[in-house]
Amino acid sequence: MKVLLFAAAAIALACASVAGARPAAPPTMHSGVLTVGLDPPAVGFQVGTLRGQKVINPHGYEIDVAKGIAAKLGISKVNYVHVPFAVLFRPGAKPFDLAFEESTITVARQRAVSFSTPYFNANQGVLVSKKAASAGKVPKSLADLRQLQICAQAVTTGLDYVQHRLHPTKRPLIYQTTAAAFTAVQNGSCEAFVMDVPIVASQKKTKPNAYGPVAGQIITNEKYGAVMSKGSKLKPFVDRAIKSLTASGTIAKWQKKWFNINFSKLHVLK
C-alpha cells in the first residue's frame, strides 16, 4: 500500500512538473529583445533612416518578417542596427541576433555564418540605363549583355555571376552599396546593373523615369536567408517561426503587400 501511494505521489509530482514547465526562452543577445541587422535602403525590402549605428523607423517586407519572427518567439521589442553588407559574412561574433539584407544562401557563405530557412526566392535581374536604352542597347540575350558596361555590388551573388559565369567583354564596375550602383545606372556610367530581380524591379517601379527598362532576369534560383553567427543557438527558433509564417500564408501576403510585381512575366535572358 505504501509502495502504491509513493508511486502515485511520484506520478502526480511528475505531471505537475510537466504541466508547470515553460518553453525555453529564445537565446537572444539581450533577454526579451530581438536585435536585427539591416543595411537600407533596398526598396520594398527595407527602408529606414540611419542614425549612428541605429536604423530608425524601418519599413518593408523584411521588417514585417522580422516583427513576425519576434512575435512567434514571444518577444515584444525589436532593435534595428546598421550592418554594412560588405562586412556581413566576415567570420566571428555578430552585433545582432539575425540580419535581413537580401542575403542569398551559398555554400561559401555558410562557412562563416549560419542561415535561417529561406524566406524569399529570387533570380538575378538586369536594369539598363536610359542612355543605353536610347542607343538601342537593351539586351535580349546573355550574349548581348556581355557587350555592355556592366556594374554590380561588391560581395553579392550578382557580382559573382558576372565575374565567373557571364564573363563580359569589359571589366565590370564594382560598387560597395546598392545605392551607389543605382546612381551609376542613373548617370549612365553603368549601362546594365546585375542585381536581384526584386531589388532592381522595385527600384524601377519607385523611380520609373530615372532608368531604362528592366531588360529581364537571369535564372539563378537563389534563396534568401536571415544571417546569424556561425552555430547560433537561435537558428532552430527562427527556422520554426519562418516555417510557421510560410505555412499560414503570411509570408505570401507580405510579398504581395510590398512588391505586387509578377516576376514570372519578366523576359528571361539566355
Side-chain angles (χ1 to χ4, degrees), residues 220-256:
T220 51
N221 295 313
E222 300 178 39
K223 298 181 184 298
Y224 294 169
V227 177
M228 291 169 276
S229 295
K230 184 70 174 175
S232 171
K233 294 181 180 179
L234 186 63
K235 175 176 164 55
F237 292 81
V238 174
D239 287 352
R240 283 194 294 270
I242 292 176
K243 289 176 182 177
S244 176
L245 291 167
T246 301
S248 68
T250 306
I251 289 284
K253 181 183 71 175
W254 287 333
Q255 289 180 358
K256 181 174 177 57

PDB file of all heavy atoms in Angstrom, residues 220-256:
ATOM      1  N   THR A 220      18.689  32.026 -61.705  1.00  0.00           N
ATOM      2  CA  THR A 220      19.740  31.538 -60.808  1.00  0.00           C
ATOM      3  C   THR A 220      19.162  30.796 -59.599  1.00  0.00           C
ATOM      4  O   THR A 220      19.902  30.179 -58.840  1.00  0.00           O
ATOM      5  CB  THR A 220      20.615  32.704 -60.312  1.00  0.00           C
ATOM      6  OG1 THR A 220      19.763  33.739 -59.782  1.00  0.00           O
ATOM      7  CG2 THR A 220      21.457  33.277 -61.436  1.00  0.00           C
ATOM      8  N   ASN A 221      17.835  30.866 -59.420  1.00  0.00           N
ATOM      9  CA  ASN A 221      17.145  30.128 -58.350  1.00  0.00           C
ATOM     10  C   ASN A 221      17.792  30.328 -56.978  1.00  0.00           C
ATOM     11  O   ASN A 221      18.156  29.366 -56.292  1.00  0.00           O
ATOM     12  CB  ASN A 221      17.098  28.634 -58.689  1.00  0.00           C
ATOM     13  CG  ASN A 221      16.266  28.344 -59.922  1.00  0.00           C
ATOM     14  OD1 ASN A 221      15.154  28.842 -60.050  1.00  0.00           O
ATOM     15  ND2 ASN A 221      16.807  27.562 -60.844  1.00  0.00           N
ATOM     16  N   GLU A 222      17.922  31.586 -56.582  1.00  0.00           N
ATOM     17  CA  GLU A 222      18.537  31.901 -55.288  1.00  0.00           C
ATOM     18  C   GLU A 222      17.489  31.970 -54.180  1.00  0.00           C
ATOM     19  O   GLU A 222      16.324  32.260 -54.426  1.00  0.00           O
ATOM     20  CB  GLU A 222      19.284  33.230 -55.398  1.00  0.00           C
ATOM     21  CG  GLU A 222      20.389  33.171 -56.447  1.00  0.00           C
ATOM     22  CD  GLU A 222      21.109  34.495 -56.617  1.00  0.00           C
ATOM     23  OE1 GLU A 222      21.340  35.181 -55.607  1.00  0.00           O
ATOM     24  OE2 GLU A 222      21.433  34.838 -57.764  1.00  0.00           O
ATOM     25  N   LYS A 223      17.944  31.715 -52.969  1.00  0.00           N
ATOM     26  CA  LYS A 223      17.062  31.759 -51.801  1.00  0.00           C
ATOM     27  C   LYS A 223      17.692  32.649 -50.735  1.00  0.00           C
ATOM     28  O   LYS A 223      18.867  32.496 -50.422  1.00  0.00           O
ATOM     29  CB  LYS A 223      16.827  30.346 -51.249  1.00  0.00           C
ATOM     30  CG  LYS A 223      16.142  29.418 -52.249  1.00  0.00           C
ATOM     31  CD  LYS A 223      15.913  28.040 -51.651  1.00  0.00           C
ATOM     32  CE  LYS A 223      15.306  27.095 -52.698  1.00  0.00           C
ATOM     33  NZ  LYS A 223      13.993  27.559 -53.173  1.00  0.00           N
ATOM     34  N   TYR A 224      16.901  33.575 -50.205  1.00  0.00           N
ATOM     35  CA  TYR A 224      17.381  34.465 -49.150  1.00  0.00           C
ATOM     36  C   TYR A 224      17.179  33.805 -47.778  1.00  0.00           C
ATOM     37  O   TYR A 224      16.140  33.200 -47.515  1.00  0.00           O
ATOM     38  CB  TYR A 224      16.604  35.780 -49.128  1.00  0.00           C
ATOM     39  CG  TYR A 224      16.771  36.663 -50.332  1.00  0.00           C
ATOM     40  CD1 TYR A 224      15.935  37.753 -50.510  1.00  0.00           C
ATOM     41  CD2 TYR A 224      17.758  36.440 -51.285  1.00  0.00           C
ATOM     42  CE1 TYR A 224      16.061  38.606 -51.609  1.00  0.00           C
ATOM     43  CE2 TYR A 224      17.895  37.273 -52.373  1.00  0.00           C
ATOM     44  CZ  TYR A 224      17.042  38.355 -52.538  1.00  0.00           C
ATOM     45  OH  TYR A 224      17.171  39.185 -53.617  1.00  0.00           O
ATOM     46  N   GLY A 225      18.158  33.994 -46.907  1.00  0.00           N
ATOM     47  CA  GLY A 225      18.037  33.529 -45.528  1.00  0.00           C
ATOM     48  C   GLY A 225      18.499  34.616 -44.575  1.00  0.00           C
ATOM     49  O   GLY A 225      19.315  35.461 -44.933  1.00  0.00           O
ATOM     50  N   ALA A 226      17.971  34.617 -43.359  1.00  0.00           N
ATOM     51  CA  ALA A 226      18.449  35.542 -42.334  1.00  0.00           C
ATOM     52  C   ALA A 226      19.837  35.079 -41.897  1.00  0.00           C
ATOM     53  O   ALA A 226      20.081  33.882 -41.735  1.00  0.00           O
ATOM     54  CB  ALA A 226      17.498  35.551 -41.144  1.00  0.00           C
ATOM     55  N   VAL A 227      20.757  36.022 -41.732  1.00  0.00           N
ATOM     56  CA  VAL A 227      22.145  35.709 -41.368  1.00  0.00           C
ATOM     57  C   VAL A 227      22.299  35.732 -39.850  1.00  0.00           C
ATOM     58  O   VAL A 227      21.827  36.644 -39.172  1.00  0.00           O
ATOM     59  CB  VAL A 227      23.115  36.723 -42.001  1.00  0.00           C
ATOM     60  CG1 VAL A 227      24.548  36.454 -41.560  1.00  0.00           C
ATOM     61  CG2 VAL A 227      22.999  36.672 -43.519  1.00  0.00           C
ATOM     62  N   MET A 228      22.988  34.712 -39.318  1.00  0.00           N
ATOM     63  CA  MET A 228      23.265  34.630 -37.882  1.00  0.00           C
ATOM     64  C   MET A 228      24.720  34.214 -37.677  1.00  0.00           C
ATOM     65  O   MET A 228      25.372  33.734 -38.606  1.00  0.00           O
ATOM     66  CB  MET A 228      22.333  33.607 -37.217  1.00  0.00           C
ATOM     67  CG  MET A 228      20.874  34.033 -37.174  1.00  0.00           C
ATOM     68  SD  MET A 228      19.743  32.697 -36.695  1.00  0.00           S
ATOM     69  CE  MET A 228      19.517  31.908 -38.296  1.00  0.00           C
ATOM     70  N   SER A 229      25.219  34.399 -36.473  1.00  0.00           N
ATOM     71  CA  SER A 229      26.568  33.944 -36.166  1.00  0.00           C
ATOM     72  C   SER A 229      26.657  32.442 -36.414  1.00  0.00           C
ATOM     73  O   SER A 229      25.675  31.711 -36.240  1.00  0.00           O
ATOM     74  CB  SER A 229      26.922  34.238 -34.700  1.00  0.00           C
ATOM     75  OG  SER A 229      26.965  35.628 -34.467  1.00  0.00           O
ATOM     76  N   LYS A 230      27.809  31.974 -36.841  1.00  0.00           N
ATOM     77  CA  LYS A 230      28.002  30.557 -37.121  1.00  0.00           C
ATOM     78  C   LYS A 230      27.653  29.714 -35.893  1.00  0.00           C
ATOM     79  O   LYS A 230      28.143  29.966 -34.797  1.00  0.00           O
ATOM     80  CB  LYS A 230      29.460  30.313 -37.523  1.00  0.00           C
ATOM     81  CG  LYS A 230      29.767  28.879 -37.937  1.00  0.00           C
ATOM     82  CD  LYS A 230      29.128  28.529 -39.253  1.00  0.00           C
ATOM     83  CE  LYS A 230      29.554  27.142 -39.728  1.00  0.00           C
ATOM     84  NZ  LYS A 230      28.836  26.742 -40.964  1.00  0.00           N
ATOM     85  N   GLY A 231      26.770  28.743 -36.083  1.00  0.00           N
ATOM     86  CA  GLY A 231      26.377  27.872 -34.987  1.00  0.00           C
ATOM     87  C   GLY A 231      25.419  28.504 -33.998  1.00  0.00           C
ATOM     88  O   GLY A 231      25.269  28.004 -32.871  1.00  0.00           O
ATOM     89  N   SER A 232      24.746  29.576 -34.386  1.00  0.00           N
ATOM     90  CA  SER A 232      23.826  30.275 -33.483  1.00  0.00           C
ATOM     91  C   SER A 232      22.781  29.331 -32.899  1.00  0.00           C
ATOM     92  O   SER A 232      22.130  28.568 -33.617  1.00  0.00           O
ATOM     93  CB  SER A 232      23.124  31.409 -34.228  1.00  0.00           C
ATOM     94  OG  SER A 232      22.086  31.960 -33.434  1.00  0.00           O
ATOM     95  N   LYS A 233      22.594  29.412 -31.575  1.00  0.00           N
ATOM     96  CA  LYS A 233      21.583  28.600 -30.903  1.00  0.00           C
ATOM     97  C   LYS A 233      20.174  29.129 -31.165  1.00  0.00           C
ATOM     98  O   LYS A 233      19.185  28.462 -30.847  1.00  0.00           O
ATOM     99  CB  LYS A 233      21.870  28.561 -29.406  1.00  0.00           C
ATOM    100  CG  LYS A 233      23.165  27.835 -29.054  1.00  0.00           C
ATOM    101  CD  LYS A 233      23.397  27.799 -27.550  1.00  0.00           C
ATOM    102  CE  LYS A 233      24.700  27.061 -27.220  1.00  0.00           C
ATOM    103  NZ  LYS A 233      24.964  27.032 -25.751  1.00  0.00           N
ATOM    104  N   LEU A 234      20.097  30.313 -31.750  1.00  0.00           N
ATOM    105  CA  LEU A 234      18.792  30.903 -32.057  1.00  0.00           C
ATOM    106  C   LEU A 234      18.203  30.326 -33.349  1.00  0.00           C
ATOM    107  O   LEU A 234      16.990  30.406 -33.570  1.00  0.00           O
ATOM    108  CB  LEU A 234      18.936  32.421 -32.190  1.00  0.00           C
ATOM    109  CG  LEU A 234      17.657  33.247 -32.363  1.00  0.00           C
ATOM    110  CD1 LEU A 234      16.761  33.100 -31.139  1.00  0.00           C
ATOM    111  CD2 LEU A 234      18.002  34.713 -32.592  1.00  0.00           C
ATOM    112  N   LYS A 235      19.035  29.731 -34.184  1.00  0.00           N
ATOM    113  CA  LYS A 235      18.605  29.262 -35.502  1.00  0.00           C
ATOM    114  C   LYS A 235      17.351  28.380 -35.466  1.00  0.00           C
ATOM    115  O   LYS A 235      16.404  28.632 -36.228  1.00  0.00           O
ATOM    116  CB  LYS A 235      19.753  28.538 -36.213  1.00  0.00           C
ATOM    117  CG  LYS A 235      19.339  27.916 -37.555  1.00  0.00           C
ATOM    118  CD  LYS A 235      20.518  27.294 -38.277  1.00  0.00           C
ATOM    119  CE  LYS A 235      20.075  26.351 -39.373  1.00  0.00           C
ATOM    120  NZ  LYS A 235      19.166  26.960 -40.359  1.00  0.00           N
ATOM    121  N   PRO A 236      17.274  27.325 -34.639  1.00  0.00           N
ATOM    122  CA  PRO A 236      16.056  26.492 -34.670  1.00  0.00           C
ATOM    123  C   PRO A 236      14.795  27.262 -34.317  1.00  0.00           C
ATOM    124  O   PRO A 236      13.718  26.969 -34.834  1.00  0.00           O
ATOM    125  CB  PRO A 236      16.359  25.377 -33.657  1.00  0.00           C
ATOM    126  CG  PRO A 236      17.498  25.867 -32.836  1.00  0.00           C
ATOM    127  CD  PRO A 236      18.283  26.779 -33.720  1.00  0.00           C
ATOM    128  N   PHE A 237      14.906  28.265 -33.450  1.00  0.00           N
ATOM    129  CA  PHE A 237      13.751  29.088 -33.082  1.00  0.00           C
ATOM    130  C   PHE A 237      13.287  29.907 -34.294  1.00  0.00           C
ATOM    131  O   PHE A 237      12.098  30.003 -34.576  1.00  0.00           O
ATOM    132  CB  PHE A 237      14.112  30.040 -31.938  1.00  0.00           C
ATOM    133  CG  PHE A 237      14.383  29.364 -30.623  1.00  0.00           C
ATOM    134  CD1 PHE A 237      15.620  28.784 -30.355  1.00  0.00           C
ATOM    135  CD2 PHE A 237      13.412  29.312 -29.631  1.00  0.00           C
ATOM    136  CE1 PHE A 237      15.883  28.174 -29.146  1.00  0.00           C
ATOM    137  CE2 PHE A 237      13.660  28.711 -28.409  1.00  0.00           C
ATOM    138  CZ  PHE A 237      14.900  28.134 -28.168  1.00  0.00           C
ATOM    139  N   VAL A 238      14.259  30.506 -34.987  1.00  0.00           N
ATOM    140  CA  VAL A 238      13.955  31.335 -36.153  1.00  0.00           C
ATOM    141  C   VAL A 238      13.397  30.475 -37.284  1.00  0.00           C
ATOM    142  O   VAL A 238      12.421  30.859 -37.949  1.00  0.00           O
ATOM    143  CB  VAL A 238      15.215  32.096 -36.617  1.00  0.00           C
ATOM    144  CG1 VAL A 238      14.942  32.857 -37.912  1.00  0.00           C
ATOM    145  CG2 VAL A 238      15.680  33.057 -35.530  1.00  0.00           C
ATOM    146  N   ASP A 239      13.983  29.313 -37.500  1.00  0.00           N
ATOM    147  CA  ASP A 239      13.515  28.420 -38.558  1.00  0.00           C
ATOM    148  C   ASP A 239      12.055  28.022 -38.339  1.00  0.00           C
ATOM    149  O   ASP A 239      11.242  28.029 -39.273  1.00  0.00           O
ATOM    150  CB  ASP A 239      14.382  27.162 -38.630  1.00  0.00           C
ATOM    151  CG  ASP A 239      15.758  27.425 -39.229  1.00  0.00           C
ATOM    152  OD1 ASP A 239      15.978  28.546 -39.724  1.00  0.00           O
ATOM    153  OD2 ASP A 239      16.601  26.517 -39.187  1.00  0.00           O
ATOM    154  N   ARG A 240      11.724  27.668 -37.104  1.00  0.00           N
ATOM    155  CA  ARG A 240      10.338  27.280 -36.805  1.00  0.00           C
ATOM    156  C   ARG A 240       9.379  28.439 -37.062  1.00  0.00           C
ATOM    157  O   ARG A 240       8.285  28.256 -37.597  1.00  0.00           O
ATOM    158  CB  ARG A 240      10.214  26.803 -35.352  1.00  0.00           C
ATOM    159  CG  ARG A 240      10.740  25.407 -35.106  1.00  0.00           C
ATOM    160  CD  ARG A 240      10.289  24.871 -33.762  1.00  0.00           C
ATOM    161  NE  ARG A 240      10.855  25.611 -32.650  1.00  0.00           N
ATOM    162  CZ  ARG A 240      12.007  25.314 -32.054  1.00  0.00           C
ATOM    163  NH1 ARG A 240      12.724  24.285 -32.496  1.00  0.00           N
ATOM    164  NH2 ARG A 240      12.454  26.024 -31.041  1.00  0.00           N
ATOM    165  N   ALA A 241       9.801  29.644 -36.698  1.00  0.00           N
ATOM    166  CA  ALA A 241       8.953  30.822 -36.888  1.00  0.00           C
ATOM    167  C   ALA A 241       8.710  31.093 -38.372  1.00  0.00           C
ATOM    168  O   ALA A 241       7.576  31.348 -38.790  1.00  0.00           O
ATOM    169  CB  ALA A 241       9.598  32.039 -36.229  1.00  0.00           C
ATOM    170  N   ILE A 242       9.770  31.031 -39.200  1.00  0.00           N
ATOM    171  CA  ILE A 242       9.625  31.285 -40.640  1.00  0.00           C
ATOM    172  C   ILE A 242       8.752  30.211 -41.286  1.00  0.00           C
ATOM    173  O   ILE A 242       7.883  30.520 -42.120  1.00  0.00           O
ATOM    174  CB  ILE A 242      11.005  31.346 -41.321  1.00  0.00           C
ATOM    175  CG1 ILE A 242      11.775  32.589 -40.846  1.00  0.00           C
ATOM    176  CG2 ILE A 242      10.865  31.366 -42.844  1.00  0.00           C
ATOM    177  CD1 ILE A 242      13.187  32.686 -41.378  1.00  0.00           C
ATOM    178  N   LYS A 243       8.942  28.962 -40.905  1.00  0.00           N
ATOM    179  CA  LYS A 243       8.123  27.883 -41.472  1.00  0.00           C
ATOM    180  C   LYS A 243       6.654  28.062 -41.105  1.00  0.00           C
ATOM    181  O   LYS A 243       5.762  27.813 -41.923  1.00  0.00           O
ATOM    182  CB  LYS A 243       8.644  26.531 -40.982  1.00  0.00           C
ATOM    183  CG  LYS A 243       9.981  26.136 -41.601  1.00  0.00           C
ATOM    184  CD  LYS A 243      10.514  24.837 -41.015  1.00  0.00           C
ATOM    185  CE  LYS A 243      11.873  24.480 -41.615  1.00  0.00           C
ATOM    186  NZ  LYS A 243      12.437  23.244 -40.992  1.00  0.00           N
ATOM    187  N   SER A 244       6.400  28.501 -39.896  1.00  0.00           N
ATOM    188  CA  SER A 244       5.031  28.741 -39.451  1.00  0.00           C
ATOM    189  C   SER A 244       4.407  29.906 -40.233  1.00  0.00           C
ATOM    190  O   SER A 244       3.251  29.826 -40.683  1.00  0.00           O
ATOM    191  CB  SER A 244       5.004  29.043 -37.951  1.00  0.00           C
ATOM    192  OG  SER A 244       3.698  29.361 -37.516  1.00  0.00           O
ATOM    193  N   LEU A 245       5.166  30.984 -40.415  1.00  0.00           N
ATOM    194  CA  LEU A 245       4.671  32.150 -41.164  1.00  0.00           C
ATOM    195  C   LEU A 245       4.432  31.806 -42.636  1.00  0.00           C
ATOM    196  O   LEU A 245       3.523  32.335 -43.268  1.00  0.00           O
ATOM    197  CB  LEU A 245       5.676  33.302 -41.055  1.00  0.00           C
ATOM    198  CG  LEU A 245       5.817  33.942 -39.672  1.00  0.00           C
ATOM    199  CD1 LEU A 245       7.048  34.841 -39.621  1.00  0.00           C
ATOM    200  CD2 LEU A 245       4.564  34.740 -39.319  1.00  0.00           C
ATOM    201  N   THR A 246       5.240  30.901 -43.171  1.00  0.00           N
ATOM    202  CA  THR A 246       5.067  30.458 -44.554  1.00  0.00           C
ATOM    203  C   THR A 246       3.825  29.584 -44.692  1.00  0.00           C
ATOM    204  O   THR A 246       3.005  29.774 -45.596  1.00  0.00           O
ATOM    205  CB  THR A 246       6.313  29.682 -45.032  1.00  0.00           C
ATOM    206  OG1 THR A 246       7.463  30.525 -44.941  1.00  0.00           O
ATOM    207  CG2 THR A 246       6.152  29.218 -46.474  1.00  0.00           C
ATOM    208  N   ALA A 247       3.690  28.625 -43.776  1.00  0.00           N
ATOM    209  CA  ALA A 247       2.556  27.690 -43.824  1.00  0.00           C
ATOM    210  C   ALA A 247       1.219  28.399 -43.674  1.00  0.00           C
ATOM    211  O   ALA A 247       0.220  27.996 -44.278  1.00  0.00           O
ATOM    212  CB  ALA A 247       2.721  26.629 -42.742  1.00  0.00           C
ATOM    213  N   SER A 248       1.193  29.475 -42.909  1.00  0.00           N
ATOM    214  CA  SER A 248      -0.058  30.209 -42.668  1.00  0.00           C
ATOM    215  C   SER A 248      -0.428  31.150 -43.811  1.00  0.00           C
ATOM    216  O   SER A 248      -1.518  31.725 -43.822  1.00  0.00           O
ATOM    217  CB  SER A 248       0.053  31.018 -41.372  1.00  0.00           C
ATOM    218  OG  SER A 248       0.999  32.071 -41.520  1.00  0.00           O
ATOM    219  N   GLY A 249       0.487  31.326 -44.772  1.00  0.00           N
ATOM    220  CA  GLY A 249       0.234  32.229 -45.885  1.00  0.00           C
ATOM    221  C   GLY A 249       0.623  33.671 -45.590  1.00  0.00           C
ATOM    222  O   GLY A 249       0.456  34.555 -46.442  1.00  0.00           O
ATOM    223  N   THR A 250       1.175  33.920 -44.400  1.00  0.00           N
ATOM    224  CA  THR A 250       1.532  35.283 -44.002  1.00  0.00           C
ATOM    225  C   THR A 250       2.689  35.824 -44.836  1.00  0.00           C
ATOM    226  O   THR A 250       2.680  36.989 -45.246  1.00  0.00           O
ATOM    227  CB  THR A 250       1.886  35.326 -42.505  1.00  0.00           C
ATOM    228  OG1 THR A 250       0.809  34.764 -41.757  1.00  0.00           O
ATOM    229  CG2 THR A 250       2.133  36.748 -42.047  1.00  0.00           C
ATOM    230  N   ILE A 251       3.678  34.982 -45.094  1.00  0.00           N
ATOM    231  CA  ILE A 251       4.823  35.393 -45.913  1.00  0.00           C
ATOM    232  C   ILE A 251       4.347  35.831 -47.300  1.00  0.00           C
ATOM    233  O   ILE A 251       4.763  36.875 -47.824  1.00  0.00           O
ATOM    234  CB  ILE A 251       5.843  34.244 -46.036  1.00  0.00           C
ATOM    235  CG1 ILE A 251       6.579  34.012 -44.706  1.00  0.00           C
ATOM    236  CG2 ILE A 251       6.838  34.519 -47.155  1.00  0.00           C
ATOM    237  CD1 ILE A 251       7.646  35.001 -44.367  1.00  0.00           C
ATOM    238  N   ALA A 252       3.470  35.049 -47.915  1.00  0.00           N
ATOM    239  CA  ALA A 252       2.952  35.380 -49.241  1.00  0.00           C
ATOM    240  C   ALA A 252       2.171  36.692 -49.212  1.00  0.00           C
ATOM    241  O   ALA A 252       2.257  37.506 -50.150  1.00  0.00           O
ATOM    242  CB  ALA A 252       2.061  34.242 -49.745  1.00  0.00           C
ATOM    243  N   LYS A 253       1.433  36.915 -48.145  1.00  0.00           N
ATOM    244  CA  LYS A 253       0.654  38.152 -48.010  1.00  0.00           C
ATOM    245  C   LYS A 253       1.583  39.357 -47.949  1.00  0.00           C
ATOM    246  O   LYS A 253       1.328  40.386 -48.587  1.00  0.00           O
ATOM    247  CB  LYS A 253      -0.196  38.079 -46.734  1.00  0.00           C
ATOM    248  CG  LYS A 253      -1.068  39.309 -46.488  1.00  0.00           C
ATOM    249  CD  LYS A 253      -1.827  39.198 -45.169  1.00  0.00           C
ATOM    250  CE  LYS A 253      -0.875  39.352 -43.980  1.00  0.00           C
ATOM    251  NZ  LYS A 253      -1.618  39.356 -42.692  1.00  0.00           N
ATOM    252  N   TRP A 254       2.685  39.246 -47.207  1.00  0.00           N
ATOM    253  CA  TRP A 254       3.637  40.353 -47.105  1.00  0.00           C
ATOM    254  C   TRP A 254       4.331  40.605 -48.440  1.00  0.00           C
ATOM    255  O   TRP A 254       4.611  41.751 -48.800  1.00  0.00           O
ATOM    256  CB  TRP A 254       4.658  40.065 -46.018  1.00  0.00           C
ATOM    257  CG  TRP A 254       4.106  40.189 -44.624  1.00  0.00           C
ATOM    258  CD1 TRP A 254       3.061  40.970 -44.228  1.00  0.00           C
ATOM    259  CD2 TRP A 254       4.578  39.507 -43.458  1.00  0.00           C
ATOM    260  NE1 TRP A 254       2.849  40.811 -42.874  1.00  0.00           N
ATOM    261  CE2 TRP A 254       3.756  39.932 -42.371  1.00  0.00           C
ATOM    262  CE3 TRP A 254       5.590  38.595 -43.210  1.00  0.00           C
ATOM    263  CZ2 TRP A 254       3.933  39.469 -41.075  1.00  0.00           C
ATOM    264  CZ3 TRP A 254       5.778  38.123 -41.918  1.00  0.00           C
ATOM    265  CH2 TRP A 254       4.958  38.554 -40.860  1.00  0.00           C
ATOM    266  N   GLN A 255       4.644  39.540 -49.195  1.00  0.00           N
ATOM    267  CA  GLN A 255       5.282  39.721 -50.500  1.00  0.00           C
ATOM    268  C   GLN A 255       4.359  40.487 -51.448  1.00  0.00           C
ATOM    269  O   GLN A 255       4.807  41.385 -52.181  1.00  0.00           O
ATOM    270  CB  GLN A 255       5.663  38.364 -51.084  1.00  0.00           C
ATOM    271  CG  GLN A 255       6.826  37.708 -50.349  1.00  0.00           C
ATOM    272  CD  GLN A 255       7.220  36.365 -50.923  1.00  0.00           C
ATOM    273  OE1 GLN A 255       6.608  35.880 -51.869  1.00  0.00           O
ATOM    274  NE2 GLN A 255       8.237  35.743 -50.351  1.00  0.00           N
ATOM    275  N   LYS A 256       3.098  40.160 -51.450  1.00  0.00           N
ATOM    276  CA  LYS A 256       2.132  40.869 -52.294  1.00  0.00           C
ATOM    277  C   LYS A 256       2.004  42.324 -51.845  1.00  0.00           C
ATOM    278  O   LYS A 256       1.924  43.247 -52.665  1.00  0.00           O
ATOM    279  CB  LYS A 256       0.767  40.181 -52.242  1.00  0.00           C
ATOM    280  CG  LYS A 256      -0.290  40.857 -53.115  1.00  0.00           C
ATOM    281  CD  LYS A 256      -1.567  40.069 -53.148  1.00  0.00           C
ATOM    282  CE  LYS A 256      -2.647  40.776 -53.965  1.00  0.00           C
ATOM    283  NZ  LYS A 256      -2.229  41.055 -55.338  1.00  0.00           N
TER     284      LYS A 256
END
